[in-house]
Amino acid sequence: MKALVFNDFGSSDVLQYAEIADAVAGPGEILLSTTAIGLNFADIYRRKGNYHLVGDAPYVLGYEGAGVVVGLGEGVTDFVLGERVAFVDVPLANAELVAVPVNKAIPIPDGIHDEIAASVLLQGLTASYLAKDSYAIRYGDVALVHAVAGGVGQMLTQIITSLGGTVIGLTSTEEKAEVARKLGAEEVLLYSDNWAEKLAGKIDVAYDSVGSTLMESFQTVRDKGAVVFYGMSGGDPVSVDPRMLMDTSKTLTGGDLWSFLTSKEERIKRSKALFDMIIAGKITVNQPRKFPLSKGKEAHDLLESRKSTGKILLIP
C-alpha cells in the first residue's frame, strides 16, 4: 500500500510518499480502505519528534480519518464489508489501508459524507466536551474563544451559540475574524489588540488553547468565572497562583479529549450527537482543503503556516 512516511524527525522535507507493507486486520479489528484522512497539529509535532509515535521507522503519521470496511479480523461480527466507518484515535492513518480496533470504530450515518466525518471528529468532539463538560454553557453566558477561526474554534463557536451563549473570539487576522463572524461570533478581536484590558471582567468562561495567554484570559474573566485550558499552541503557560483563584473565586480547568472518549459507547454516543447537529444544520462545516496523500508535504506546510482557516484533508 502507499503511505506518507518519514525516517528522521524534522521539517516537512522528511516526508516521503512510499510503498510499504499492507496493513492487516488482527483479532477484534476491521481493515479500512481510507477515503479521507484528517491532518492535525499533532501530526506536525510528531513529525518534529515532540510527540510520541507508534512503531519504528519508517514512521507513519495520522490518527483521524474515514473509510470503507474491506476486511474483518477474527471475532468481528458487528461490522460488515462495505460499511462506512470513521475513527479519531487510531495510529498509522496516513496510508491507503488502516487497521481499526472495533472499540474505536465509529459508524458514519447517512447524510454525513466521508470527508465531513474525517473533518469534524477530533475537533468537533473536542469542542463538544469543552462546551458541555469542562464548563457547561448556560443561556446568556459570554465565552471567550481563543483561535476562534481554527478547527476547534469554529466548532466551539457554533456549539456555544446553539446552547444560548455569546462568543467573543480572538484571532490573528481580519480575514480569520470574518470567518468567525459568519459562524456566529458576536465580536472578534485580534491578538494585536489590547484585548485583555478591553474585556477585563466581562467574560464568564475563557477557552484558552494558546497557553502563553493564560493570565490574560484570567484577566478577562469575571469573579466566579472560569478558564478552560486545553492547548499550548503559543507556548507553555506560567504557573497559576492558587491564592488568586481563592481571592477571586475563579476556576481553572484542564481539558483533554481522551479523558472523555473512554469506551466504545462514549465514542459512538458523542459522535452521534455531533453528527446529528451537523445533519440538523446547527453546525456548518466549511469546505475542507484537500491534498492528495502524495502531496503531504504541501499540506503540512500550509497547516504549519497558520494561514488555513478550515480543516485540511489528505485524500489517498
Side-chain angles (χ1 to χ4, degrees):
M1 67 179 183
K2 291 288 189 178
L4 189 66
V5 305
F6 65 103
N7 291 286
D8 301 298
F9 299 113
S11 71
S12 64
D13 291 335
V14 302
L15 296 171
Q16 305 171 44
Y17 187 60
E19 189 82 27
I20 63 172
D22 286 356
V24 177
E29 294 181 334
I30 56 177
L31 186 66
L32 292 189
S33 173
T34 51
T35 52
I37 303 161
L39 181 63
N40 298 289
F41 261 103
D43 295 307
I44 304 290
Y45 299 144
R46 290 187 179 97
R47 190 199 73 217
K48 291 182 174 181
N50 302 125
Y51 279 9
H52 173 71
L53 268 168
V54 172
D56 301 312
Y59 301 111
V60 180
L61 296 170
Y63 275 74
E64 175 188 38
V68 177
V69 178
V70 294
L72 302 173
E74 180 183 348
V76 175
T77 59
D78 45 354
F79 288 92
V80 297
L81 297 180
E83 188 169 356
R84 297 188 305 127
V85 170
F87 57 90
V88 70
D89 55 351
V90 177
L92 312 178
N94 281 189
E96 293 176 322
L97 298 171
V98 179
V100 178
V102 293
N103 65 343
K104 294 186 176 182
I106 300 168
I108 303 173
D110 293 339
I112 297 291
H113 193 278
D114 289 11
E115 292 179 1
I116 295 298
S119 296
V120 302
L121 276 179
L122 181 63
Q123 295 164 338
L125 292 175
T126 296
S128 181
Y129 88 75
L130 290 171
K132 298 177 181 179
D133 296 289
S134 297
Y135 177 97
I137 293 290
R138 298 158 297 189
Y139 185 86
D141 278 343
V142 179
L144 177 66
V145 176
H146 283 263
V148 70
V152 174
Q154 290 186 30
M155 293 286 179
L156 185 55
T157 294
Q158 295 178 84
I159 293 174
I160 290 171
T161 54
S162 75
L163 295 171
T166 297
V167 171
I168 298 178
L170 289 170
T171 191
S172 57
T173 68
E174 184 55 40
E175 178 186 15
K176 291 183 177 182
E178 187 56 30
V179 171
R181 293 188 191 102
K182 289 179 179 178
L183 292 175
E186 182 76 15
E187 181 181 1
V188 183
L189 301 177
L190 302 184
Y191 281 109
S192 56
D193 296 334
N194 195 10
W195 57 272
E197 287 192 15
K198 289 180 180 179
L199 300 174
K202 298 179 180 179
I203 302 299
D204 295 300
V205 56
Y207 293 100
D208 194 322
S209 58
V210 178
S212 58
T213 56
L214 189 63
M215 295 315 297
E216 286 87 351
S217 291
F218 270 113
Q219 185 179 344
T220 69
V221 169
R222 60 166 173 80
D223 285 4
K224 297 187 289 185
V227 173
V228 181
F229 167 62
Y230 71 99
M232 297 173 289
S233 63
D236 292 335
V238 299
S239 297
V240 176
D241 186 347
R243 292 171 298 182
M244 179 273 289
L245 300 178
M246 179 181 69
D247 292 343
T248 60
S249 299
K250 296 179 182 180
T251 300
L252 173 62
T253 301
D256 184 81
L257 178 60
W258 314 123
S259 299
F260 298 93
L261 298 187
T262 53
S263 67
K264 175 182 178 180
E265 292 73 23
E266 277 296 313
R267 278 183 180 82
I268 291 177
K269 180 184 74 173
R270 289 175 180 267
S271 299
K272 182 181 183 302
L274 179 64
F275 290 147
D276 285 348
M277 291 186 74
I278 295 170
I279 292 171
K282 294 180 179 179
I283 292 180
T284 298
V285 182
N286 286 331
Q287 186 68 25
R289 179 73 180 272
K290 294 182 285 187
F291 289 82
L293 184 59
S294 59
K295 301 293 184 182
K297 171 182 161 45
E298 288 87 339
H300 274 239
D301 288 342
L302 176 61
L303 183 60
E304 205 165 1
S305 74
R306 298 185 183 273
K307 293 180 180 179
S308 61
T309 55
K311 188 70 175 185
I312 296 174
L313 295 180
L314 298 173
I315 307 298

